């Protein structure tokens, strides 16, 4: 392997498990849907449940104090990972979807009025569309959309033109498109949003674990993502928000832990981030997320980015040589996503038949139906890369595709 490649597959139990007799070994190419877990994360959660488990922020006993320290420790780790000004800017959520709903309902719900505008892009995941439609319906705000070109690159001239209305309050865009892999120029888009008096909300679900992310360097006012796509457990995610914005936002959900004092006449709330964290959280999952952040830092996000970029180039070359295969998403700035269609074969058939060879890819609309509509396809097949993938995985994919084509002849 060339120096830009990592060698870390052995740290992932599911990827190194011997297959059942007669079964092919697993070739996992669906990291954009969810990432596999390294042993370090599995062990941290197991150990926490066995040795330190208790509730957080309420117990006066030692076990609870220990659990609280681990739980709040993750907040510090995430703040450092993102280059946030303070851990008070880090809110625990259930995932990217939950974080985007929180910003839309709380920030959008309190700041938008009839006639205001929200800008989205044609590349968005449904999680960064529907919450804005819900708040637009409530407030009377309107949604405007930045189109993309045939490669899947956003039209920044159109974006500039949309910003001149003087009515834009919120721009919400993905860092990286899950369907196409396009990496959007967030810094430039943030500067333009700010110059127009708007805030920018970044859906970081596909950004966070594939490249170094510094929210202040990006100019992001909000940045949302899920733990399960960054090698941590399901059920938890992060919403980063600039503190001065969080401070003026009303609660999203009510319940225990988010209040200062409750009477039937009037309830007062905690400061951020706790104001937005009602109820008993996903404690062990937060601990697992902390271990995932440590793991990412130990491998190095710059190394992961270089590894996946080299694999993307290798895979693009391989797939481009297959007759009848069209890549969907060919932006020059692209992350490790290989979306494609095959002449005469439905993406679902590709997915099902590759699975018989142990190759796991995704087939469908990828929760991005407007992207499918833009490219005039009902669905695509998508192979997506993680730091554990190798050239051999992509060789297996290409061979699998050729085999299917042979069967359909
Ligand atoms: C996966 C994904 C989401 C949603 O994440 P959940 O973990 O399902 O909440 C949002 N946006 C993008 C770009 C995604 O890839």
């Amino acid at each position: 392997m060339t120096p830009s490649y990592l060698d870390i597959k052995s740290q992932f139990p599911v990827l190194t498990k011997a297959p059942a007799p007669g079964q092919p070994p697993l070739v996992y190419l669906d990291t954009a849907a969810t990432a596999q877990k390294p042993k370090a994360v599995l062990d941290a959660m197991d150990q926490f449940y066995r040795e330190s488990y208790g509730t957080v922020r309420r117990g006066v006993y030692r076990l609870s104090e220990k659990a609280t320290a681990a739980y709040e420790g993750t907040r510090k780790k995430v703040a450092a990972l993102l280059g946030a000004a303070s851990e008070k800017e880090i809110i625990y959520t259930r995932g990217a979807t939950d974080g985007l709903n929180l910003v839309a309902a709380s920030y959008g719900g309190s700041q938008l009025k009839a006639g205001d505008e929200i800008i989205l892009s044609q590349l968005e995941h449904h999680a960064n569309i529907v919450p804005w439609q819900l708040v637009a319906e409530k407030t009377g705000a309107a949604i405007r959309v930045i189109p993309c070109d045939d490669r899947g690159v956003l039209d920044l001239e159109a974006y500039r033109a949309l910003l001149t209305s003087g009515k834009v309050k919120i721009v919400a865009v993905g860092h990286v498109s899950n369907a196409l892999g396009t990496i959007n120029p967030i810094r430039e888009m943030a500067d333009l949003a700010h110059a127009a008096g708007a805030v920018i909300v970044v859906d970081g679900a596909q950004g966070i674990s594939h490249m170094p992310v510094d929210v202040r360097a990006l100019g992001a006012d909000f940045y949302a993502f899920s733990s399960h796509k960054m090698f941590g457990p399901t059920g938890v995610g992060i919403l980063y928000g600039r503190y001065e914005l969080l401070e003026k936002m009303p609660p999203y959900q009510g319940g225990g832990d988010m209040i200062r004092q409750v009477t039937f006449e009037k309830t007062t709330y905690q400061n951020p981030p706790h104001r937005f964290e009602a109820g008993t959280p996903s404690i062990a999952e937060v601990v697992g997320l902390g271990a995932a952040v440590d793991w990412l830092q130990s491998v190095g996000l710059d190394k992961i980015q270089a590894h996946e970029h080299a694999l993307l180039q290798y895979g693009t070359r391989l797939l481009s040589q297959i007759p009848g295969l069209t890549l969907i998403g060919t932006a020059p700035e692209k992350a490790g996503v290989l979306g494609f269609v095959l002449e005469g074969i439905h993406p679902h058939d590709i997915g099902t038949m590759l699975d018989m060879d142990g190759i796991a890819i995704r087939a469908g609309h990828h929760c991005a139906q407007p992207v499918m509509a833009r490219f005039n396809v009902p669905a695509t097949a998508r192979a997506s890369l993680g730091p554990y993938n190798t050239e051999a995985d992509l060789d297996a994919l290409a061979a699998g595709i050729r085999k299917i084509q042979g069967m359909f002849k």
Side-chain angles (χ1 to χ4, degrees):
M1 290 206 274
T2 59
S4 56
Y5 284 119
L6 290 167
D7 184 11
I8 56 168
K9 208 171 208 169
S10 60
Q11 297 181 36
F12 290 78
V14 78
L15 300 177
T16 46
K17 198 166 76 77
Q23 296 291 315
L26 172 65
V27 174
Y28 189 74
L29 290 168
D30 199 18
T31 297
T34 198
Q36 296 296 345
K37 316 306 172 198
K39 196 165 176 297
V41 168
L42 304 174
D43 289 349
M45 292 179 70
D46 185 59
Q47 189 183 3
F48 179 72
Y49 269 129
R50 287 174 191 278
E51 294 172 16
S52 314
Y53 182 73
T55 194
V56 290
R57 306 208 305 254
R58 268 169 298 198
V60 292
Y61 45 90
R62 234 169 309 157
L63 200 57
S64 175
E65 280 172 13
K66 216 167 145 184
T68 304
Y71 176 83
E72 290 300 329
T74 295
R75 212 187 291 275
K76 291 199 182 76
K77 289 175 188 182
V78 172
L81 179 75
L82 295 178
S86 151
E87 72 246 32
K88 292 184 190 147
E89 300 183 317
I90 305 301
I91 300 166
Y92 292 135
T93 64
R94 287 192 298 111
T97 302
D98 190 36
L100 293 166
N101 274 280
L102 194 167
V103 190
S106 174
Y107 186 83
S110 62
Q111 305 297 317
L112 291 168
K113 55 182 191 322
D116 285 346
E117 292 175 353
I118 303 163
I119 295 184
L120 308 178
S121 93
Q122 204 162 20
L123 302 180
E124 299 316 306
H125 186 284
H126 298 163
N128 200 29
I129 300 174
V130 185
W132 300 110
Q133 290 175 324
L134 292 172
V135 73
E137 199 163 298
K138 271 201 184 120
T139 57
I143 290 175
R144 304 276 181 257
V145 181
I146 313 166
C148 72
D149 68 14
D150 292 341
R151 300 167 301 169
V153 176
L154 290 183
D155 179 348
L156 291 191
E157 281 316 308
Y159 174 50
R160 279 200 183 84
L162 288 174
L163 285 169
T164 59
S165 71
K167 298 178 192 164
V168 180
K169 294 284 156 46
I170 299 171
V171 174
V173 290
H175 193 171
V176 176
S177 157
N178 66 308
L180 305 179
T182 311
I183 303 173
N184 290 319
I186 298 298
R187 176 73 222 199
E188 191 179 349
M189 295 181 78
D191 288 346
L192 291 167
H194 293 149
V199 299
I200 185 162
V201 179
V202 181
D203 172 357
Q206 298 293 341
I208 189 68
S209 54
H210 301 286
M211 61 190 73
V213 169
D214 182 316
V215 286
R216 284 189 285 175
L218 284 176
D221 296 299
F222 297 94
Y223 194 94
F225 54 92
S226 300
S227 152
H228 73 93
K229 291 187 184 175
M230 55 186 291
F231 318 102
T234 51
V236 64
I238 298 293
L239 174 66
Y240 157 84
R242 273 203 300 122
Y243 197 77
E244 59 177 282
L245 299 176
L246 296 179
E247 241 181 338
K248 63 180 183 186
M249 285 161 56
Y252 171 51
Q253 294 181 324
D257 280 341
M258 50 76 72
I259 51 85
R260 217 186 279 285
Q261 195 175 21
V262 176
T263 67
F264 282 111
E265 288 68 41
K266 183 172 173 55
T267 289
T268 52
Y269 308 118
Q270 293 267 22
N271 289 330
H274 298 126
R275 184 188 299 167
F276 305 105
E277 297 175 352
T280 303
S282 303
I283 305 169
E285 286 75 9
V286 166
V287 171
L289 170 58
V293 172
D294 288 343
W295 182 83
L296 277 171
Q297 303 272 41
S298 74
V299 178
L301 277 154
D302 47 347
K303 293 211 180 88
I304 290 176
Q305 186 178 24
H307 172 86
E308 292 178 2
H309 186 70
L311 279 183
L312 174 69
Q313 289 184 313
Y314 181 80
T316 303
R317 233 174 12 249
L318 273 186
L319 296 195
S320 305
Q321 289 160 1
I322 299 179
L325 185 149
T326 307
L327 285 168
I328 307 285
T330 50
E333 296 295 321
K334 201 180 150 180
V337 173
L338 290 157
F340 61 93
V341 290
L342 287 181
E343 217 175 273
I345 309 175
H346 194 278
H348 285 127
D349 293 332
I350 303 172
T352 310
M353 293 173 81
L354 285 175
D355 180 56
M356 293 195 273
D357 288 332
I359 304 165
I361 64 153
R362 178 85 179 266
H365 55 62
H366 317 292
C367 299
Q369 286 177 349
V371 177
M372 300 297 113
R374 167 66 180 79
F375 287 86
N376 281 316
V377 290
T380 65
R382 180 191 69 187
S384 57
L385 303 172
Y388 31 62
N389 286 122
T390 60
E391 287 186 353
D393 293 339
L394 292 165
D395 292 340
L397 172 69
I401 294 170
R402 287 180 189 274
K403 184 172 145 192
I404 295 168
Q405 285 182 319
M407 289 157 72
F408 269 78
K409 273 222 176 87

